[in-house]
């Protein structure tokens, strides 16, 4: 039995997230259909992460097992012929039997894109958050630095009622402005449900004066979602990189 690790990228606009659902089209459903056609057998794939409706991925990994001996390059070429234009398989490699796209993951980097202008960008309406207010980059960097390190992020989780462990480590929280566009990169060992979108939303609330940087310590300690900022819209979020060897 071969265990294959596949890396792909997708534009999440047309999908209700990654994970298969009974009443909506998802990335997993579409990809499984293409893999099954290539291998001429029903295949279940195991993704590295769950993504919400409208969220994108520049690097997303999944694994699956098969007896089929198709050459790896032929698999990549063949499956891309069956996939729609908003999903692309980038590579495929054979990995040890115990390797799992999700459970073997050491960490991830997420990207959040913001277009800051009074006028919307017609070329990025579903690829970046349109934000009309002025951005105080230095203030947002000051706030972002607070999140770096190991903390209990219970206040920054959409639904942690069933989560026993809400402690995560953020290794890097980088904010840069390029013209009218802001790129926010968050690198960590793991993320709670909606965590990155809530962190970004909190930064936007700080930018608007709704929350003060000095209040972040109290918000973090409270483990109360109601105290943190808004949940930023999903279409600005990308799974940017996935780490398996080290982070």
């Amino acid at each position: 039995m071969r265990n294959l690790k596949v890396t792909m990228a997708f534009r999440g606009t047309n999908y209700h997230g990654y994970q298969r659902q009974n009443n909506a089209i998802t990335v997993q459903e579409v990809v499984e259909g293409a893999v099954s056609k290539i291998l001429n057998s029903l295949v279940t794939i195991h993704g590295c992460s769950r993504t919400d409706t409208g969220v994108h991925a520049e690097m997303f990994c999944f694994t699956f097992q098969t007896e089929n001996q198709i050459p790896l390059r032929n698999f990549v070429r063949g499956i891309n012929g069956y996939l729609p234009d908003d999903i692309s398989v980038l590579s495929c490699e054979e990995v040890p039997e115990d390797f799992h796209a999700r459970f073997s993951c050491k960490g991830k980097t997420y990207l959040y894109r913001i277009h800051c202008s009074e006028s919307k960008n017609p070329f990025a309406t579903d690829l970046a958050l349109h934000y009309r207010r002025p951005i105080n980059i230095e203030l947002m960097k000051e706030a972002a630095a607070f999140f770096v390190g190991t903390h209990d992020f219970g206040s920054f989780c959409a639904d942690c009622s069933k989560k026993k462990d809400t402690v995560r480590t953020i290794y890097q929280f980088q904010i840069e402005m390029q013209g009218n566009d802001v790129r926010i990169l968050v690198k960590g060992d793991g993320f709670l449900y909606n965590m990155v979108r809530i962190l970004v939303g909190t930064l936007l609330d700080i930018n608007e004066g709704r929350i003060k940087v000095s209040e972040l310590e109290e918000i973090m300690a409270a483990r109360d979602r109601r105290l943190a900022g808004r949940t930023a819209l999903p279409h600005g979020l990308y799974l940017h990189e996935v780490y398996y060897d080290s982070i």
Side-chain angles (χ1 to χ4, degrees):
M1 181 70 74
R2 304 169 79 194
N3 191 25
L4 301 184
K5 172 193 170 191
V6 180
T7 302
M8 66 176 173
F10 60 81
R11 182 172 182 156
T13 305
N14 295 324
Y15 303 98
H16 288 257
Y18 164 77
Q19 188 165 327
R20 190 190 312 109
Q21 299 180 29
N22 293 327
N23 57 352
I25 188 169
T26 66
V27 174
Q28 182 179 10
E29 174 189 350
V30 171
V31 173
E32 283 181 342
V35 174
S36 297
K37 286 180 181 178
I38 287 292
L39 302 182
N40 198 30
S41 63
L42 292 177
V43 173
T44 298
I45 66 174
H46 304 281
C48 64
S49 178
R50 299 177 180 178
T51 60
D52 291 335
T53 299
V55 172
H56 318 288
E58 295 177 329
M59 177 184 180
F60 188 102
C61 297
F62 67 84
T63 47
F64 69 94
Q65 294 188 331
T66 180
E67 296 281 6
N68 196 298
Q69 295 302 309
I70 184 172
L72 300 180
R73 188 165 72 167
N74 291 2
F75 173 83
V76 173
R77 288 180 172 178
I79 191 172
N80 278 326
Y82 284 109
L83 290 171
D85 291 341
D86 51 12
I87 303 176
S88 177
V89 165
L90 308 176
S91 66
C92 179
E93 61 182 296
E94 198 156 348
V95 290
E97 187 177 345
D98 62 350
F99 183 92
H100 190 284
R102 178 182 174 190
F103 300 121
S104 299
C105 182
K106 306 294 186 197
K108 302 182 182 80
T109 294
Y110 279 93
L111 164 69
Y112 198 92
R113 295 178 57 197
I114 304 173
H115 178 67
C116 303
S117 173
E118 183 62 34
S119 301
K120 62 186 178 183
N121 179 356
F123 304 106
T125 52
D126 60 336
L127 298 174
L129 174 69
H130 180 207
Y131 188 71
R132 290 185 172 89
R133 295 174 180 266
I135 286 279
N136 185 335
I137 285 292
E138 295 308 315
L139 178 64
M140 291 179 66
K141 286 182 177 179
E142 178 188 354
F146 175 82
F147 297 119
V148 176
T150 302
H151 304 285
D152 188 327
F153 285 94
S155 292
F156 302 89
C157 176
D159 182 11
C160 282
S161 57
K162 297 180 181 178
K163 274 280 184 186
K164 294 182 179 179
D165 181 15
T166 52
V167 175
R168 298 291 185 273
T169 299
I170 299 297
Y171 298 105
Q172 182 183 44
F173 206 130
Q174 179 182 337
I175 304 175
E176 56 186 32
M177 192 155 192
Q178 302 172 344
N180 290 329
D181 296 326
V182 175
R183 288 171 52 90
I184 300 175
L185 285 164
V186 187
K187 181 179 183 179
D189 64 354
F191 296 90
L192 302 167
Y193 182 49
N194 281 170
M195 178 173 156
V196 176
R197 290 170 56 194
I198 296 170
L199 291 173
V200 172
T202 300
L203 292 182
L204 295 177
D205 280 355
I206 288 172
N207 182 69
E208 296 170 20
R210 300 172 186 270
I211 298 175
K212 297 179 180 178
V213 176
S214 59
E215 296 173 334
L216 289 177
E217 186 172 358
E218 180 181 350
I219 293 171
M220 184 81 78
R223 300 186 72 254
D224 186 343
R225 170 66 189 95
R226 296 171 296 179
L227 300 181
R230 73 187 81 169
T231 302
L233 293 174
H235 62 276
L237 183 63
Y238 298 70
L239 179 54
H240 178 68
E241 194 165 357
V242 185
Y243 307 98
Y244 289 101
D245 296 326
S246 61
I247 184 170

